[in-house]
Amino acid sequence: MAILPLLTAAAPPPTPSVEVSVSGLRNTKGQLLVCLTANPKAFPDCSKDKASVRMAVKAANAGHFKVAAPADGTYAIAVVHDENSNNKMDMALFMPKEGFGFSRNPTIGMGAPKFKSASFAVTGDTRQTIKMKYML
């Protein structure tokens, strides 16, 4: 009787992750709304990107956290300090009342930065440090 070798499926490659460090939070109230996207048209509001990674992190735990990227590629991260936990950025006229930050910490002018200025390559595990900004 012949013994057939067992065929084992190859393990899928590990999902890359982005280790994020956030500095400059003005308090530990609420949560951070985090968006990771590879779609320039969906940045910084990931709601138009079904492939984006969105998560909420308690502000008290926001110093260091990980975001799982779907695959290697070029991504950008947008972060909002949702101090009152209403799952959106509150505005006063046209100015954000809550803090925000972006990967690569681009210069902020009028409006959000372009995807290109916040984007970075993910090839395996990657790190990003984001400095929060508050307008009011």
Coordinates of all heavy atoms in Angstrom, one line a residue, residues 45-101:
D45 N -11.1 61.8 3.8 CA -12.4 61.2 4.3 C -12.6 59.8 3.7 O -12.9 59.7 2.5 CB -13.5 62.1 4.0 CG -14.9 61.6 4.4 OD1 -14.9 60.6 5.1 OD2 -15.9 62.1 3.9
C46 N -12.3 58.8 4.4 CA -12.3 57.4 3.9 C -13.7 56.9 3.6 O -13.9 55.8 3.1 CB -11.7 56.5 4.8 SG -9.9 56.7 5.0
S47 N -14.8 57.7 3.8 CA -16.1 57.2 3.7 C -16.4 56.7 2.2 O -17.3 55.9 2.0 CB -17.1 58.2 4.1 OG -17.1 59.3 3.3
K48 N -15.7 57.3 1.2 CA -15.9 56.9 -0.2 C -15.0 55.8 -0.6 O -15.0 55.4 -1.8 CB -15.6 58.1 -1.0 CG -16.6 59.3 -0.7 CD -16.3 60.5 -1.6 CE -17.2 61.6 -1.3 NZ -16.6 62.7 -0.6
D49 N -14.3 55.1 0.3 CA -13.4 54.1 -0.1 C -13.7 52.8 0.7 O -13.4 52.7 1.9 CB -11.9 54.5 0.2 CG -10.9 53.4 -0.1 OD1 -11.3 52.4 -0.7 OD2 -9.7 53.6 0.2
K50 N -14.4 51.9 0.1 CA -14.8 50.6 0.8 C -13.6 49.8 1.2 O -13.7 49.0 2.1 CB -15.7 49.8 -0.1 CG -17.1 50.5 -0.3 CD -18.0 49.7 -1.2 CE -19.3 50.4 -1.4 NZ -20.1 49.8 -2.4
A51 N -12.4 50.0 0.5 CA -11.2 49.2 0.8 C -10.4 49.9 2.0 O -9.4 49.3 2.4 CB -10.4 49.0 -0.4
S52 N -10.8 51.0 2.4 CA -10.0 51.7 3.5 C -10.1 51.0 4.8 O -11.1 50.2 5.0 CB -10.5 53.1 3.6 OG -11.8 53.1 4.2
V53 N -9.2 51.3 5.7 CA -9.2 50.7 7.0 C -9.6 51.9 7.9 O -8.9 52.9 8.0 CB -7.8 50.1 7.4 CG1 -7.8 49.7 8.8 CG2 -7.4 49.0 6.5
R54 N -10.7 51.7 8.6 CA -11.1 52.7 9.6 C -11.2 52.1 10.9 O -11.7 51.0 11.1 CB -12.5 53.3 9.1 CG -12.3 54.2 7.9 CD -13.6 54.8 7.5 NE -14.4 53.8 6.7 CZ -15.6 53.9 6.3 NH1 -16.2 55.1 6.4 NH2 -16.2 53.0 5.6
M55 N -10.8 52.9 11.9 CA -10.9 52.4 13.3 C -10.9 53.6 14.3 O -10.6 54.7 13.9 CB -9.7 51.5 13.6 CG -8.3 52.2 13.5 SD -6.9 51.1 13.6 CE -6.7 50.8 15.3
A56 N -11.4 53.3 15.5 CA -11.4 54.2 16.6 C -10.5 53.7 17.7 O -10.5 52.5 18.0 CB -12.8 54.4 17.1
V57 N -9.7 54.6 18.2 CA -8.8 54.3 19.3 C -9.1 55.3 20.5 O -9.2 56.5 20.2 CB -7.3 54.5 18.8 CG1 -6.3 54.2 20.0 CG2 -7.0 53.6 17.6
K58 N -9.2 54.7 21.7 CA -9.5 55.6 22.8 C -8.3 56.6 22.9 O -7.1 56.2 22.8 CB -9.6 54.8 24.1 CG -10.8 54.0 24.2 CD -10.9 53.3 25.5 CE -12.2 52.5 25.6 NZ -12.3 51.8 26.9
A59 N -8.6 57.9 23.1 CA -7.6 58.9 23.2 C -6.6 58.6 24.3 O -5.4 58.8 24.1 CB -8.2 60.3 23.4
A60 N -7.0 58.0 25.3 CA -6.1 57.6 26.4 C -5.1 56.6 26.0 O -4.0 56.5 26.6 CB -6.9 57.1 27.6
N61 N -5.3 55.8 24.9 CA -4.4 54.8 24.4 C -3.8 55.1 23.1 O -3.3 54.3 22.4 CB -5.2 53.4 24.2 CG -5.9 53.0 25.5 OD1 -5.4 53.3 26.6 ND2 -7.0 52.3 25.4
A62 N -3.9 56.4 22.7 CA -3.5 56.8 21.4 C -2.0 57.0 21.2 O -1.6 57.4 20.1 CB -4.3 58.0 20.9
G63 N -1.2 56.9 22.2 CA 0.2 57.1 22.0 C 0.9 56.2 21.0 O 1.6 56.7 20.2
H64 N 0.5 55.0 21.0 CA 1.0 54.0 20.1 C -0.1 53.0 19.8 O -0.7 52.4 20.7 CB 2.2 53.2 20.7 CG 3.4 54.1 21.0 ND1 4.2 54.6 20.0 CD2 3.8 54.6 22.2 CE1 5.2 55.3 20.6 NE2 4.9 55.4 21.9
F65 N -0.3 52.7 18.5 CA -1.3 51.7 18.1 C -0.9 51.2 16.7 O -0.1 51.8 16.0 CB -2.7 52.2 18.2 CG -3.0 53.4 17.3 CD1 -3.4 53.2 16.0 CD2 -2.8 54.6 17.8 CE1 -3.6 54.3 15.2 CE2 -3.1 55.8 17.0 CZ -3.5 55.6 15.7
K66 N -1.5 50.1 16.3 CA -1.2 49.5 15.0 C -2.4 49.5 14.1 O -3.5 49.3 14.6 CB -0.7 48.1 15.1 CG 0.7 47.9 15.6 CD 1.2 46.5 15.5 CE 2.7 46.5 15.9 NZ 3.3 45.2 15.6
V67 N -2.2 49.7 12.8 CA -3.2 49.7 11.8 C -2.8 48.6 10.8 O -1.7 48.7 10.3 CB -3.4 51.0 11.1 CG1 -4.5 50.9 10.0 CG2 -3.6 52.2 12.1
A68 N -3.7 47.6 10.6 CA -3.4 46.6 9.6 C -3.7 47.1 8.2 O -4.8 47.5 7.9 CB -4.2 45.3 9.9
A69 N -2.7 47.1 7.4 CA -2.8 47.5 6.0 C -3.3 46.2 5.2 O -2.9 45.1 5.5 CB -1.5 48.0 5.4
P70 N -4.2 46.4 4.2 CA -4.7 45.3 3.4 C -3.6 44.5 2.7 O -3.6 43.3 2.5 CB -5.7 45.9 2.4 CG -6.1 47.2 3.1 CD -4.9 47.7 3.8
A71 N -2.6 45.3 2.2 CA -1.5 44.7 1.4 C -0.4 45.8 1.3 O -0.6 46.9 1.7 CB -1.9 44.3 0.0
D72 N 0.8 45.4 0.8 CA 1.8 46.3 0.6 C 1.3 47.4 -0.5 O 0.5 47.0 -1.3 CB 3.1 45.7 0.0 CG 3.9 44.9 1.0 OD1 3.6 45.0 2.2 OD2 4.8 44.2 0.6
G73 N 1.7 48.6 -0.4 CA 1.3 49.6 -1.3 C 1.5 51.0 -0.8 O 2.3 51.2 0.2
T74 N 1.0 52.0 -1.4 CA 1.1 53.4 -1.0 C -0.2 53.8 -0.3 O -1.3 53.7 -0.9 CB 1.4 54.3 -2.2 OG1 2.6 53.8 -2.8 CG2 1.6 55.7 -1.8
Y75 N 0.0 54.3 0.9 CA -1.2 54.7 1.7 C -1.0 56.1 2.3 O 0.1 56.6 2.4 CB -1.3 53.7 2.9 CG -1.7 52.3 2.5 CD1 -0.7 51.4 2.2 CD2 -3.0 51.9 2.3 CE1 -1.0 50.1 1.8 CE2 -3.4 50.6 2.0 CZ -2.4 49.7 1.7 OH -2.7 48.5 1.3
A76 N -2.1 56.6 2.9 CA -2.0 57.8 3.7 C -2.9 57.6 4.8 O -4.0 56.9 4.7 CB -2.4 59.1 2.8
I77 N -2.6 58.3 6.0 CA -3.4 58.2 7.2 C -3.9 59.5 7.6 O -3.2 60.5 7.5 CB -2.6 57.6 8.4 CG1 -2.1 56.2 8.1 CG2 -3.4 57.6 9.7 CD1 -1.2 55.6 9.1
A78 N -5.2 59.6 7.9 CA -5.8 60.8 8.5 C -6.3 60.4 9.9 O -6.9 59.4 10.1 CB -6.9 61.3 7.6
V79 N -6.1 61.3 10.9 CA -6.5 61.1 12.2 C -7.3 62.3 12.7 O -6.9 63.4 12.5 CB -5.3 60.9 13.2 CG1 -5.7 60.7 14.6 CG2 -4.5 59.7 12.7
V80 N -8.4 62.1 13.4 CA -9.2 63.1 14.0 C -9.3 62.8 15.5 O -9.7 61.7 15.8 CB -10.6 63.2 13.4 CG1 -11.5 64.2 14.1 CG2 -10.6 63.6 11.9
H81 N -9.1 63.9 16.3 CA -9.3 63.7 17.8 C -10.7 64.0 18.0 O -11.1 65.2 18.2 CB -8.3 64.6 18.6 CG -8.5 64.4 20.0 ND1 -7.9 65.3 20.9 CD2 -9.1 63.5 20.8 CE1 -8.1 64.9 22.2 NE2 -8.9 63.8 22.1
D82 N -11.6 63.0 18.1 CA -13.0 63.2 18.3 C -13.3 63.3 19.8 O -13.6 62.3 20.5 CB -13.7 62.0 17.7 CG -15.2 62.0 17.9 OD1 -15.8 63.1 18.1 OD2 -15.8 60.9 17.8
E83 N -13.1 64.5 20.4 CA -13.1 64.6 21.8 C -14.4 64.3 22.4 O -14.5 63.9 23.6 CB -12.7 66.1 22.2 CG -11.2 66.4 21.8 CD -10.8 67.8 22.1 OE1 -10.5 68.1 23.2 OE2 -10.9 68.6 21.1
N84 N -15.5 64.5 21.7 CA -16.9 64.3 22.3 C -17.4 62.9 21.8 O -18.6 62.7 22.1 CB -17.8 65.4 22.0 CG -18.0 65.7 20.5 OD1 -17.4 65.0 19.7 ND2 -18.8 66.7 20.2
S85 N -16.7 62.1 21.2 CA -17.1 60.8 20.7 C -18.4 60.7 19.9 O -19.2 59.8 20.1 CB -17.1 59.8 21.9 OG -15.9 59.7 22.5
N86 N -18.5 61.7 19.0 CA -19.7 61.7 18.2 C -19.4 61.2 16.8 O -20.2 61.3 15.9 CB -20.4 63.1 18.1 CG -19.5 64.1 17.4 OD1 -18.4 63.9 17.1 ND2 -20.1 65.3 17.1
N87 N -18.3 60.6 16.6 CA -17.8 59.9 15.4 C -17.7 60.8 14.1 O -17.9 60.4 13.0 CB -18.7 58.7 15.0 CG -18.6 57.6 16.1 OD1 -17.5 57.3 16.5 ND2 -19.7 57.1 16.6
K88 N -17.4 62.1 14.4 CA -17.2 63.0 13.3 C -16.3 64.2 13.8 O -16.2 64.4 15.0 CB -18.5 63.6 12.7 CG -19.3 64.4 13.7 CD -20.6 64.9 13.1 CE -21.3 65.9 14.0 NZ -22.5 66.5 13.4
M89 N -15.8 65.0 12.8 CA -15.1 66.2 13.2 C -16.0 67.3 13.3 O -16.8 67.6 12.4 CB -14.0 66.5 12.2 CG -13.3 67.8 12.5 SD -12.1 68.3 11.3 CE -10.7 67.4 11.9
D90 N -16.1 67.9 14.5 CA -16.9 69.1 14.7 C -16.3 70.3 14.1 O -15.0 70.5 14.2 CB -17.2 69.3 16.2 CG -18.0 68.1 16.7 OD1 -18.9 67.6 16.0 OD2 -17.8 67.8 17.9
M91 N -17.1 71.2 13.5 CA -16.6 72.4 12.9 C -17.2 73.6 13.5 O -18.4 73.6 14.0 CB -16.9 72.4 11.4 CG -16.5 71.2 10.6 SD -14.7 71.1 10.4 CE -14.4 72.2 9.1
A92 N -16.5 74.8 13.5 CA -17.0 76.1 13.9 C -16.8 76.9 12.6 O -15.7 77.3 12.3 CB -16.3 76.6 15.0
L93 N -17.9 77.3 12.0 CA -17.9 77.9 10.6 C -17.1 77.0 9.7 O -17.5 75.9 9.4 CB -17.3 79.3 10.7 CG -18.1 80.3 11.5 CD1 -17.4 81.6 11.6 CD2 -19.5 80.5 10.9
F94 N -15.9 77.3 9.3 CA -15.1 76.5 8.4 C -13.9 76.0 9.1 O -13.0 75.5 8.4 CB -14.8 77.2 7.1 CG -16.0 77.5 6.3 CD1 -16.5 78.8 6.3 CD2 -16.7 76.6 5.6 CE1 -17.6 79.2 5.6 CE2 -17.9 76.9 4.9 CZ -18.3 78.2 4.9
M95 N -13.8 76.2 10.4 CA -12.6 75.8 11.1 C -12.9 74.5 12.0 O -13.9 74.4 12.6 CB -12.2 76.9 12.1 CG -11.8 78.2 11.4 SD -10.2 78.0 10.6 CE -9.2 78.2 12.1
P96 N -12.0 73.5 11.9 CA -12.2 72.4 12.8 C -12.1 72.7 14.3 O -11.1 73.4 14.7 CB -11.1 71.4 12.4 CG -10.2 72.1 11.4 CD -10.8 73.4 11.1
K97 N -13.0 72.3 15.1 CA -13.0 72.5 16.5 C -12.2 71.4 17.2 O -11.8 71.6 18.4 CB -14.4 72.5 17.1 CG -15.2 73.7 16.7 CD -16.7 73.5 17.1 CE -16.9 73.4 18.6 NZ -18.4 73.4 18.9
E98 N -11.9 70.3 16.5 CA -11.2 69.2 17.1 C -9.9 69.0 16.4 O -9.7 69.5 15.2 CB -12.1 67.9 17.0 CG -13.3 68.1 17.9 CD -14.3 66.9 17.8 OE1 -14.7 66.5 16.7 OE2 -14.6 66.3 18.8
G99 N -9.0 68.3 17.0 CA -7.7 68.1 16.4 C -7.6 67.2 15.3 O -8.5 66.3 15.1
F100 N -6.6 67.3 14.5 CA -6.4 66.4 13.3 C -4.9 66.2 13.1 O -4.1 67.0 13.6 CB -7.1 66.9 12.1 CG -6.6 68.3 11.8 CD1 -5.5 68.5 10.9 CD2 -7.3 69.4 12.3 CE1 -5.1 69.8 10.6 CE2 -6.8 70.7 12.0 CZ -5.8 70.9 11.2
G101 N -4.6 65.2 12.3 CA -3.2 64.9 11.9 C -3.1 64.0 10.7 O -4.1 63.3 10.4

